[in-house]
Amino acid sequence: KQEVTQIPAALSVPEGENLVLNCSFTDSAIYNLQWFRQDPGKGLTSLLLIQSSQREQTSGRLNASLDKSSGRSTLYIAASQPGDSATYLCAASMNRDDKIIFGKGTRLHILP
Amino acid sequence: DAGVTQSPTHLIKTRGQHVTLRCSPISGHKSVSWYQQVLGQGPQFIFQYYEKEERGRGNFPDRFSARQFPNYSSELNVNALLLGDSALYLCASSRSGALSYNEQFFGPGTRLTVL
């Protein structure tokens, strides 16, 4: 059974710092991995989607990497801003049973 | 272009009542999935509908049901509400049926509170 874990559960960093959010999964038979942003009480906004054949994807200040063999993905945020404060969720799409499994998220707070 | 829309945005019900939540997918998308997100947790898969047929079901009781209409919009129904059904209910749409292969686009959610 696939389990997706995100550590830490919460993170506070000063504005301007670069930071890394971690996502690990137990079953490497994934089709893709997606990172989402969620503001309090709101829906999910897709940030980056990495296909299993890819190693990384970049969008602006965001870079996501995928290492299937070690069961890890990271989301790198460069030059953090207060507007980056939100919960970041990763989700693994499974080949086997065509399901999407979410982690519990990392609550990020950027200190002005 | 309009994204995924959901209604209502907020809803308060009492135990034992039933509720209907609605979702309209992005134009051209034929798949709608429903998720339940309890506070502090990641979304949990409830149902997927594709071309008006149920394509997948998560580990939820029979009190939860859904359907998809010819215009690909969808309703999620929950009967005999329990306090534990209080959550943010998210709808996601995608172009075709395979959840794994298609990027999911999420709506803003419906916040359900059961008293």
Side-chain angles (χ1 to χ4, degrees):
Chain A
K1 179 188 169 190
Q2 176 72 285
E3 292 184 6
V4 178
T5 304
Q6 293 187 247
I7 294 173
L11 182 64
S12 293
V13 300
E15 179 179 2
E17 284 198 3
N18 304 325
L19 61 99
V20 174
L21 305 181
N22 297 295
C23 172
S24 62
F25 45 94
T26 54
D27 186 344
S28 63
I30 65 169
Y31 190 78
N32 62 47
L33 190 129
Q34 197 165 356
W35 282 93
F36 294 89
R37 169 187 172 135
Q38 186 174 33
D39 292 293
K42 305 294 186 183
L44 277 61
T45 300
S46 177
L47 297 173
L48 290 164
L49 184 149
I50 313 176
Q51 302 291 353
S52 62
S53 58
Q54 298 174 319
R55 299 282 296 189
E56 64 179 310
Q57 282 284 346
T58 297
S59 176
R61 294 183 294 109
L62 305 179
N63 175 276
S65 68
L66 176 64
D67 183 344
K68 277 181 57 176
S69 62
S70 66
R72 291 189 196 171
S73 176
T74 61
L75 179 66
Y76 174 83
I77 302 177
S80 59
Q81 303 170 357
D84 295 331
S85 297
T87 295
Y88 290 80
L89 294 147
C90 68
S93 298
M94 306 306 300
N95 285 338
R96 190 171 295 116
D97 52 9
D98 195 30
K99 284 196 167 45
I100 298 176
I101 310 297
F102 282 85
K104 293 183 179 180
T106 293
R107 279 194 324 279
L108 176 64
H109 182 45
I110 305 300
L111 304 167
Chain B
D1 287 342
V4 178
T5 59
Q6 292 187 243
S7 64
T9 54
H10 295 87
L11 204 49
I12 298 175
K13 292 285 189 178
T14 57
R15 280 179 297 175
Q17 286 189 312
H18 72 272
V19 68
T20 298
L21 311 180
R22 295 178 177 84
C23 171
S24 291
I26 292 171
S27 177
H29 285 193
K30 298 182 177 181
S31 169
V32 170
S33 299
W34 288 95
Y35 293 82
Q36 180 195 65
Q37 187 179 24
V38 174
L39 197 63
Q41 304 290 316
Q44 298 287 316
F45 172 73
I46 309 174
F47 283 113
Q48 185 204 4
Y49 274 76
Y50 175 63
E51 290 284 18
K52 301 178 284 293
E53 304 228 340
E54 181 182 304
R55 193 174 181 277
R57 172 186 281 258
N59 189 23
F60 280 81
D62 292 344
R63 299 184 296 109
F64 289 76
S65 64
R67 55 180 175 167
Q68 186 177 34
F69 299 99
N71 66 354
Y72 302 109
S73 67
S74 177
E75 284 182 353
L76 175 70
N77 294 285
V78 187
N79 293 325
L81 285 167
L82 302 174
L83 295 179
D85 295 331
S86 296
L88 181 67
Y89 287 84
L90 295 164
C91 171
S93 77
S94 60
R95 289 197 177 276
S96 61
L99 286 177
S100 297
Y101 304 166
N102 293 276
E103 188 172 1
Q104 304 289 305
F105 296 86
F106 283 79
T110 293
R111 169 70 62 189
L112 172 65
T113 302
V114 182
L115 302 176

